[in-house]
Amino acid sequence: MKLGELERMSVDDLWKLHLAVGEALAVKMAAEKDVLEGRLKRLKAKPTLERRIAKSERRGYPPVFPKYRNPDDPSETWAGRGRQPRWLAEQLRSGKKVDDFRIEMAAE
């Protein structure tokens, strides 16, 4: 409809047109909402393979090499992550420093 046609219409006719447009919009919006809700249900109900793999597998991290070694038992090492091992905590209480147990890296 063109602007000239709307200007020639009476107020009652314009109001009827307004109500008809409102009803048509409500019907179309309800139909679009139903389509979108159906798509959302499908997405929630059946996750894709990538999502299932991403949730079930842990992220791969590079290996962390030990940085500290127990001088009394060289097989006991610590990478500096997580809780301090008991042997290191005991040595620190006796007055030694963490750097005293650092493993020397080989020169490349």
Side-chain angles (χ1 to χ4, degrees), residues 69-86:
R69 180 172 314 223
N70 184 356
D72 299 331
D73 185 1
S75 66
E76 293 180 333
T77 58
W78 182 50
R81 293 185 177 183
R83 191 172 174 192
Q84 284 183 346
R86 289 183 187 150

Side-chain angles (χ1 to χ4, degrees), residues 49-64:
L49 179 63
E50 293 84 22
R51 286 188 191 170
R52 281 183 266 151
I53 290 173
K55 287 183 181 179
S56 64
E57 291 182 5
R58 291 189 60 182
R59 179 179 166 200
Y61 291 97
V64 179

Side-chain angles (χ1 to χ4, degrees), residues 74-108:
S75 66
E76 293 180 333
T77 58
W78 182 50
R81 293 185 177 183
R83 191 172 174 192
Q84 284 183 346
R86 289 183 187 150
W87 62 265
L88 182 59
E90 291 171 7
Q91 296 284 345
L92 294 176
R93 279 194 298 267
S94 70
K96 294 186 179 179
K97 296 183 180 179
V98 175
D99 288 333
D100 296 339
F101 306 100
R102 186 171 290 277
I103 299 172
E104 298 297 325
M105 296 294 172
E108 294 183 15

